[in-house]
Amino acid sequence: MIKIKDMYSLDETIAADLFKDKDYPWEVLKSIGEFIVSLGEKLSPDEYDKRGDNVWIAKDAKVFDSAYINGPCIIDHEAEVRQCAFIRGNAIVGKNCVVGNSTELKNVVLFNNVQVPHYNYVGDSVLGFKSHMGAGSITSNVKSDKTLVTVKCGDEKIETGLKKFGAMLGDHVEVGCNSVLNPGTVVGSNSNIYPLSMVRGVVPSDSIYKKADDIVRKEN
């Protein structure tokens, strides 16, 4: 349920090769920057402009003048990076994505059609196809005691070996406004998170998260 094959449509990202030979999505976090540089050098100059150090932007993407983009970074076709967005580096922004006003990205993969449109922080995370984070919702990517992050799935604890780990959102995940996704959060595909939620651990696919002790299956 929390493996790459269960959560993501790899034909919906320019970064499909990044996920090959890996089981869990967080295993890509250490390799995003290196992958971007390698892939960027292969992108067609007829389709992508190279701007500055290791920043490739599709010619049909819309990037507002006040947006800040640091490399390594790839912004794919028809994506929109709005006013005052802050992309700190190691970011892949997929086709038709929206990175909105005052949204900050760092060490992330956004699959195609992802929307982080209003005051979001997304760090050390992977957001699947057509996932959406409501206004003010954020990923918290470092534990307060600075220890390594574990993923808690029922009674099982999976050691990640990572100090920084935000959230893994599967395809078609909806996160409600002003929610906090704590370090090590994994949300299965087609699930919804209520607004103002504090999420930790694994939320199964096809679920509605109301609060920690109230997660219900979606009705068909």
Side-chain angles (χ1 to χ4, degrees), residues 101-120:
N101 173 38
S102 301
T103 290
E104 180 179 346
L105 304 180
K106 191 271 294 185
N107 202 46
V108 298
V109 178
L110 308 186
F111 278 55
N112 299 340
N113 294 84
V114 166
Q115 293 193 355
V116 282
H118 308 289
Y119 305 102
N120 306 108

Side-chain angles (χ1 to χ4, degrees), residues 161-179:
L162 299 170
K163 182 179 178 181
K164 294 186 177 182
F165 177 145
M168 305 291 126
L169 305 185
D171 295 343
H172 300 280
V173 166
E174 290 282 341
V175 178
C177 295
N178 290 323
S179 293

